[in-house]
Amino acid sequence: MVDRTQPQDAGWAAVDHYIGDKLLGADDALSAALAANAAGGLPDIDVSPAQGKLLHLLALAAGARRVLEVGTLGGYSTIWLARAVGDGGRVTTLEIDPHHADVARANLAAAGMGGRAEVLTGAALDTLARLDGPFDLIFIDADKENNAAYVREAIRLSRPGTVIVVDNVIREGGVVDTASEDPRIRGTRALFDYVSSEPRLTATAIQTVGVKKWDGFLLAVVDVDGA
């Protein structure tokens, strides 16, 4: 029975832990990656375990062999995606901070995924302009101010049927605040405006709660007819 007297966030986190215990189980490589991130001074902003498994399942469902990730941090989500692409698959992940990129490379190697993932360092928009597609799945989890530009580049690097996932699009409800001066909220609203006007995308968004509090994902598929 849920304890309705506890803070709402605590209840969300408790359910996330229940999901993890029942459906994910212990994972030494992923736990070690999070520990290495903390030891390296990286911010604690990785996707949750349940969200990481969701990305993994989306990649599996899409049959993804080539995955692009915008925003590596310490490679926690990259490990989930690299496991999904299988032998011969490839994850290309972009990180602006050289220290974060080094931690991610070490984490990927320790998890046995170094051969499946390449970490490219530099400003993502500059790196994206040099890449060639198509990718089967693209996960965007970087600076929110550039989300619309990232999705624009993602479409260029896609094929009909490519799945595009953007993290942190609810911002604890801030996305509906038309007067917000927060650049992350303004960038997220610009993302929704762009996606809603883009005929090549079929999209929705889902709200999530859990250890990451109240947030959500935007999910889109590059339209077969409009691409």
Side-chain angles (χ1 to χ4, degrees):
M1 184 173 181
V2 176
D3 180 2
R4 300 294 183 185
T5 65
Q6 64 182 335
Q8 192 172 43
D9 288 5
W12 296 341
V15 173
D16 252 15
H17 293 312
Y18 175 83
I19 291 169
D21 290 343
K22 291 293 184 180
L23 302 180
L24 277 66
D27 192 308
D28 291 342
L30 290 169
S31 296
L34 292 178
N37 290 355
L42 276 61
D44 182 19
I45 54 174
D46 305 272
V47 298
S48 71
Q51 291 169 343
K53 186 64 174 288
L54 173 63
L55 293 173
H56 178 85
L57 292 174
L58 287 172
L60 287 177
R65 301 288 283 164
R66 292 193 72 198
V67 170
L68 173 63
E69 179 181 49
V70 182
T72 314
L73 194 61
Y76 179 79
S77 55
T78 320
I79 294 170
W80 279 110
L81 292 167
R83 288 175 171 178
V85 298
D87 292 337
R90 192 74 170 166
V91 178
T92 300
T93 182
L94 315 184
E95 175 55 47
I96 193 171
D97 188 301
H99 173 59
H100 295 180
D102 287 342
V103 172
R105 292 186 186 103
N107 283 337
L108 287 160
M113 295 293 116
R116 295 187 188 178
E118 178 183 22
V119 183
L120 302 179
T121 308
L125 287 175
D126 294 339
T127 307
L128 286 167
R130 299 193 295 269
L131 294 180
D132 294 318
F135 292 92
D136 305 311
L137 183 143
I138 299 171
F139 175 49
I140 299 169
D141 188 11
D143 58 299
K144 311 312 170 188
E145 296 88 336
N146 283 314
N147 267 345
Y150 292 147
V151 171
R152 189 176 297 112
E153 281 295 293
I155 295 171
R156 182 182 68 80
L157 294 167
S158 294
R159 56 165 175 78
T162 291
V163 177
I164 299 173
V165 183
V166 187
D167 197 9
N168 306 127
V169 300
I170 303 303
R171 312 220 59 87
E172 300 202 14
V175 69
V176 300
D177 184 358
T178 59
S180 176
E181 295 298 322
D182 185 329
R184 296 166 298 182
I185 291 175
R186 293 171 68 91
T188 302
R189 289 179 59 82
L191 166 71
F192 275 90
D193 289 342
Y194 172 68
V195 171
S196 69
S197 67
E198 176 50 73
R200 294 170 292 179
L201 295 179
T202 300
T204 190
I206 57 170
Q207 301 182 74
T208 60
V209 296
V211 295
K212 307 302 294 185
K213 298 186 178 180
W214 179 20
D215 215 322
F217 293 100
L218 184 144
L219 301 103
V221 175
V222 178
D223 188 55
V224 174
D225 296 324

